[in-house]
Amino acid sequence: MNLQPAVKPEDTAECCIEVAQGALRGSEQGGYRRFLAVPYAEPPVGRRRFLPALPPRSWDGLRDAQTQAPVAPQRPDPGFFPGDPDAMPASEMDEDCLYMNIWAPAAGSAPCPVLVWLHGGSQLIGGTARPVYDGAAFARAGIVCVTVGHRLGLLGFMELEHHLGADYRESGNAALGDMIRALEWVRDNIGVFGGDAQRVTLGGESAGGKNVATLLAAPRARGLFQAAVIVSGGGETILTFDEAKALANRVITLTGHGAQALCHLPWPDMLDAQRRLLSGGGRKLPTRPFVGGAILPLPPLAAIESGTVPPVPLLLGTSRDEMIASVLGAQGDWAWMPEILSHALPDDMTRIEGAARQAWPKLDAVARRCALLTAEEYWLPARRLADAQARAGAPVWMYRNDISCTTGPLAGYASHVSDLNALWGHLPALPSARLHRMLCDFVRNHAAHWDRYDPTTRRTAVLCNDLSVQTNPGADVAALFGAYGFGRGGMGR
């Protein structure tokens, strides 16, 4: 690896720690410690491509943990609009990407609660190097914060058992296996950072939030976290086993190579195959976990309803205008990924839009389309997950972020990802600071301070200039969808 050193302010000192695999040299400043690029698994390279992650090997000497690791191979991220300041910066890419970053309070702190965070990015982009995932604010608040890098795209979500044999069983869920391996490493090692392995909250946003929901239903992940936070996610972005096999068949046809050749194809060529796959159309992205194997025997909602999912406390949140970048981008020609941010409603929702036009005559076309797409992609799946978890006896709290962006083309809207900087403590002024305090309180106490959610009243905290608790907000939108058979959700959404 040829990684650039992290910037070190004058008051930064080195600090060392011993984990099960060896000694790490990190940095300490401002009352907290930081360890970057900590390996939690063997690199999935060479013959290990597509195969399950193995525990990391030990090393001799002192391993430097002051520079970022490479991110998983991915296309560049231009953000949600030209000049988006929150787009992921250009980073070194490599299949050797199974690393985590850890921020911990100063040595000697009492056993601290732990937040393990899974990044977003449509299962195609993203990583721990994105500046928003700097966990210093959590460490200052007495929380050990862990961010996890994992495989993405076709390298993490392509099921090849039917082509390459039993060794490749679950290759379509390799990325989920990476996340579980990271949680196992946290269980075994987080104590030396001052973290309490029995007070782990697993959180994530967007694709990361959907992965959290999936891991709720994963038998191997049970007991590895005691609470969950899902921001802009739900439990329905999954494939059937047949859909997973069909995806692999399409990739093999597209590349003109056999399945065995995919194990050795240079990763830039794999990205090119992924690009051609996505350009083939389809409103929903095909790279997602599949149901039917050992990692995910049942869809999350079905697993919850079966009583096999531990009733862990759950905090669920969405933003009011999640899909506004899609709708405005379609008009302004700057939506960066039409495969996921499609501005068009699916064919079977056109009647809902007609009904919405009559129900909301004062709402303009942009606001109406945004409300419907936001409900279909984020809010209704989150609500269905909250309903299922609450019915199973788990304590659930739900909130909606109504804090609008103040600059850029999304000013005036509470858009997708707009809440991340607030949640991570990078916006200390009110009202955004409430989001960070809310998340810290949940990680510490596995509870929120407003009414618990139940499927009857659906009490939800709405954060804007202040925090108010509302009964069943968005009931009119849910009724529109329910009238046309969209009340239950399902696989492949």
Side-chain angles (χ1 to χ4, degrees), residues 26 47 200 231 246 260 289 317 327 333 344 375-376 393 395 401 415 440:
R47 67 178 189 83
V200 175
V231 180
Q260 190 62 53
V327 178
D333 197 28
E376 188 247 355
N401 168 46
S415 63
C440 288

Side-chain angles (χ1 to χ4, degrees), residues 406-439:
T406 57
T407 60
L410 303 183
Y413 297 99
S415 63
H416 188 58
V417 184
S418 66
D419 52 346
L420 265 185
N421 274 294
L423 285 165
W424 280 71
H426 304 314
L427 300 176
L430 290 174
S432 297
R434 288 193 184 94
L435 281 165
H436 181 63
R437 290 204 300 266
M438 173 193 71
L439 182 52

Side-chain angles (χ1 to χ4, degrees), residues 117-209:
W117 195 266
L118 305 179
H119 67 80
S122 316
Q123 315 287 22
L124 293 170
I125 61 171
T128 59
R130 191 175 176 190
V132 71
Y133 296 127
D134 183 316
F138 290 110
R140 293 191 194 101
I143 293 168
V144 178
C145 177
V146 180
T147 59
V148 178
H150 55 80
R151 282 175 275 190
L152 294 170
L154 295 176
L155 294 169
F157 296 98
M158 188 160 59
E159 180 58 28
L160 292 167
E161 179 191 4
H162 58 300
H163 289 285
L164 298 177
D167 285 349
Y168 289 84
R169 184 175 297 145
E170 301 283 347
S171 59
N173 282 331
L176 282 184
D178 296 344
M179 300 168 206
I180 295 171
R181 181 66 68 192
L183 286 166
E184 291 170 339
W185 192 96
V186 167
R187 175 198 61 199
D188 296 339
N189 292 277
I190 207 64
V192 301
F193 297 89
D196 185 345
Q198 299 303 311
R199 296 172 66 200
V200 175
T201 298
L202 180 62
E205 189 268 348
S206 195

Side-chain angles (χ1 to χ4, degrees), residues 53 72 96 126 199 238 269 291 385 450 464 471 480:
D96 180 3
R199 296 172 66 200
I238 47 183
D269 293 338
V291 173
L385 181 60
W450 63 89
C464 192
T471 297
L480 280 174

Side-chain angles (χ1 to χ4, degrees), residues 217-301:
R220 198 176 124 208
R222 289 172 195 161
L224 296 177
F225 57 97
Q226 291 72 46
V229 176
I230 297 173
V231 180
S232 300
E236 300 163 27
T237 309
I238 47 183
L239 299 178
T240 66
F241 185 51
D242 286 342
E243 288 171 331
K245 290 195 297 183
L247 170 65
N249 293 339
R250 286 168 59 197
V251 173
I252 290 168
T253 300
L254 270 175
T255 61
H257 300 291
Q260 190 62 53
L262 295 180
C263 297
H264 311 288
L265 199 65
W267 64 255
D269 293 338
M270 289 293 298
L271 284 183
D272 183 63
Q274 184 171 286
R275 177 192 59 78
R276 287 185 284 149
L277 176 72
L278 297 175
S279 66
R283 184 167 178 271
K284 300 293 185 179
L285 290 172
T287 49
R288 54 180 69 182
F290 79 87
V291 173
I295 287 183
L296 191 62
L298 293 172
L301 293 185

